[in-house]
Amino acid sequence: MAKKKVTVSLEGAVMTDAGLTYKGVIMETIDEKCEGCERIVSFEDKKYCPTYAQPATKWSKGVCNFATHARADVDKAGKVKVNPLKASKRAARGR
Ligand code: SF4
């Protein structure tokens, strides 16, 4: 199956005294963990994420589930998390 192309933009975003405003929300710049994500959009020499207004907050709870460069099922330490429900089904099938 072909990988879906991510199309993102900050069309209509306006820089105000409070910061970059997009769809009525003040946008924060990306987190360092966002580097490499295809959703990053540059606006006046700064990088923003049209998907999440506060990227650092998104990463504080684990891997961003919309990241194109990291998988949501890999935790911060790089260990693969096993979905408990899937693990239970695998055990029941004897695999
Ligand atoms: S989608 Fe997630 S990883 Fe990608 S730029 Fe936005 S907050 Fe960062």
Side-chain angles (χ1 to χ4, degrees):
M1 191 169 156
K3 190 176 178 186
K4 192 175 172 185
K5 175 88 174 119
V6 177
T7 52
V8 288
S9 78
L10 283 173
E11 197 174 316
V14 179
M15 186 58 80
T16 64
D17 291 341
L20 183 67
T21 306
Y22 178 58
K23 294 183 179 176
V25 177
I26 305 294
M27 308 293 287
E28 293 181 6
T29 54
I30 61 161
D31 188 83
E32 62 183 29
K33 293 175 189 146
C34 295
E35 289 294 344
C37 181
E38 292 177 25
R39 295 181 192 273
I40 296 171
V41 174
S42 293
F43 192 95
E44 294 182 0
D45 296 336
K46 291 185 178 171
K47 295 176 181 174
Y48 297 91
C49 172
T51 306
Y52 287 106
Q54 299 172 320
T57 305
K58 186 67 190 166
W59 280 95
S60 69
K61 296 179 177 117
V63 176
C64 172
N65 58 325
F66 273 94
T68 61
H69 64 306
R71 292 189 48 136
D73 59 351
V74 177
D75 69 13
K76 288 178 192 167
K79 293 179 182 171
V80 176
K81 284 186 190 173
V82 177
N83 180 324
L85 186 59
K86 287 182 181 175
S88 172
K89 287 178 180 175
R90 274 192 206 120
R93 281 183 278 175
R95 287 196 277 165

